[in-house]
Amino acid sequence: MSDHRTAAPVGPAPFESPAPPESPAPPESPAQPPGRPSLRRDASLPALLAGLVCIAVSFSGPLVVVLAAAAAGHLDEAHTASWIWAVSIGSGLTCLLLSWWTRTPVITAWSTPGAALLIGSLGAHPYPEAVGAFLLSSAAVALFGVTGLFGRLIRAVPTGIVNAMLAGILFAFGAGIFAELRAAPALVLGSFTVFLLAKRLLPRYAVPLALLAGALLAAATVGLPLHLGSGGPTHPVWTTPAFSWPAAVGLALPLTIVALASQNAPGLGIMRASGYEPDDRLLVGATGGLSVLLAPFGSPGVNLAAITAAICTSPESHPDPRRRYVAGMSAGVLYLLVGSFGGVLVSLFTGLPHALIAVIAGVALLASFQGSLAAAVAEERGRDGAVVTFLATASGMTLFGIGAPFWGLLLGLATHAVLTHRHRR
């Protein structure tokens, strides 16, 4: 029998060619053997390392925003550690279990735009009321997910505009490779050269080899401080939620909008652009539901990821899209490990040189950026809206605490509606 766990990319996807009607079955069938997990067969070094790159990107940059938000809310060390524990454990469980269940690379994370929003507003409310706002926001996200309302809204967006939004999100990471040339030319040029050579000769191992070369070059040039923190397992701290109208309006409402518009929408778009057909009710509902449980420990919410998802859903993770779910599971296990021993391992990721993270994230996302950009401008009739979406998203603007992906979608849809309406006349 078949169930959710045999989900595979819908076809024909950009990386697949339909077999002739009478040709023999390909070596690897789209569906896994009924009821028999094949993780041992599907596991591969590139997929496992894609999960590692995903975690390194998450903890080397966005974690700083979380720490800044915790400082703005005047949280002590124990509550800050509990916050990191909650978002890491939530991300780990959802990555691991949802990737296994759906057999697709489901990547989740905390909301960096949401944490940025909290920098300016968390300190204005008592912490128990902030926790209550986290709980309300997570419940609202779960409700939008399980009812299917959010999925219906996202599916109504033209494919070109979705891909343009994704290309706009990924643009900064591609450009970031070359922005680091001045600071660390040997590291960047060396890693990029190794990536190109490996892409030609050993394409499955292009990103891992670039990572290895980058680490060696970093150690020889800018330094590679691999310092482990001290302490044992993290101890989560329970905070009983309190509820107030100011916190509901000032925190819960904007957090909900940011989670849906700036996180879950691009996250679903990344998966669809990679050829998958994600179950939005399951994914958004599950992340929202788990976030409700983790809110009393300090979690503002766990959402579908976009940037790190592009790393794990790309061909660099594995040429066969049906085997990329291993990257999601790898990321999940590492999230759980870092979350459980946050004091020991978080400093390892935060200490990595910025240039190393920039070049590795950039090369890991090149294929996804290329595919999204090509799909965005493929249809001439919708090209204007796609270009507006791309430019607005790539600008990185923020209005009313909501990030550029949402405004890129909104402006692109408005452009598309105006121009296609005129075209019909």
Side-chain angles (χ1 to χ4, degrees):
M1 70 178 180
S2 61
D3 58 21
H4 293 84
R5 293 171 289 180
T6 60
V10 294
F15 37 69
E16 296 180 289
S17 299
E22 297 183 4
S23 63
E28 295 187 53
S29 167
Q32 305 292 348
R36 286 186 173 274
S38 53
L39 179 60
R40 181 177 179 181
R41 182 191 68 190
D42 292 340
S44 66
L45 179 61
L48 294 174
L49 288 179
L52 175 61
V53 173
C54 166
I55 298 304
V57 171
S58 294
F59 281 97
S60 62
L63 181 64
V64 176
V65 183
V66 172
L67 295 175
H74 310 292
L75 301 189
D76 58 26
E77 184 177 343
H79 284 87
T80 300
S82 182
W83 183 344
I84 296 173
W85 175 88
V87 295
S88 300
I89 296 300
S91 299
L93 288 174
T94 48
C95 282
L96 179 63
L97 298 179
L98 291 174
S99 294
W100 171 253
W101 180 257
T102 65
R103 293 297 195 275
T104 57
V106 179
I107 306 300
T108 60
W110 56 89
S111 171
T112 303
L117 183 151
L118 292 174
I119 292 176
S121 56
L122 184 60
H125 306 276
Y127 186 60
E129 292 184 8
V131 169
F134 298 164
L135 194 153
L136 290 176
S137 174
S138 299
V141 170
L143 184 63
F144 271 97
V146 297
T147 58
L149 176 60
F150 182 66
R152 288 193 293 272
L153 292 174
I154 294 301
R155 282 189 289 271
V157 179
T159 303
I161 288 180
V162 172
N163 279 283
M165 177 191 67
L166 302 181
I169 293 172
L170 300 178
F171 171 78
F173 288 82
I177 299 174
F178 310 102
E180 295 295 328
L181 268 173
R182 183 176 180 180
L187 192 164
V188 173
L189 289 176
S191 298
F192 191 65
T193 300
V194 169
F195 171 76
L196 292 179
L197 292 175
K199 185 79 172 175
R200 179 68 183 268
L201 302 174
L202 297 167
R204 285 186 60 184
Y205 300 96
V207 174
L209 288 174
L211 175 61
L212 176 61
L216 294 175
L217 289 167
T221 56
V222 298
L224 189 63
L226 301 179
H227 299 301
L228 293 176
S230 59
T234 304
H235 298 287
V237 178
W238 172 276
T239 299
T240 301
F243 301 96
S244 69
W245 281 112
V249 175
L251 287 181
L253 181 59
L255 278 176
T256 301
I257 295 173
V258 166
L260 294 174
S262 297
Q263 290 291 140
N264 287 318
L268 291 172
I270 284 282
M271 296 188 71
R272 292 198 173 101
S274 300
Y276 299 98
E277 190 57 43
D279 184 343
D280 53 86
R281 293 192 181 201
L282 172 65
L283 302 187
V284 179
T287 53
L290 184 59
S291 296
V292 170
L293 300 179
L294 292 172
F297 299 102
S299 170
V302 172
N303 316 273
L304 295 178
I307 301 302
T308 48
I311 295 172
C312 294
T313 59
S314 74
E316 309 298 343
S317 171
H318 198 284
D320 185 351
R322 292 160 294 190
R323 296 175 65 179
R324 294 176 196 161
Y325 73 92
V326 176
M329 297 184 66
S330 170
V333 170
L334 291 171
Y335 265 130
L336 292 173
L337 181 63
V338 174
S340 298
F341 298 92
V344 178
L345 295 177
V346 167
S347 58
L348 173 66
F349 293 104
T350 55
L352 293 176
H354 185 269
L356 175 61
I357 294 298
V359 70
I360 297 305
V363 298
L365 293 168
L366 276 180
S368 296
F369 174 71
Q370 173 184 302
S372 297
L373 190 60
V377 297
E379 185 181 355
E380 184 177 358
R381 185 166 177 265
R383 195 169 293 165
D384 292 290
V387 168
V388 169
T389 299
F390 171 77
L391 293 175
T393 304
S395 72
M397 65 175 179
T398 300
L399 292 175
F400 309 113
I402 302 175
F406 171 77
W407 298 113
L409 272 178
L410 193 64
L411 293 171
L413 285 172
T415 302
H416 181 78
V418 170
L419 296 183
T420 55
H421 177 72
R422 186 177 65 182
H423 178 76
R424 291 186 186 127
R425 293 177 61 186

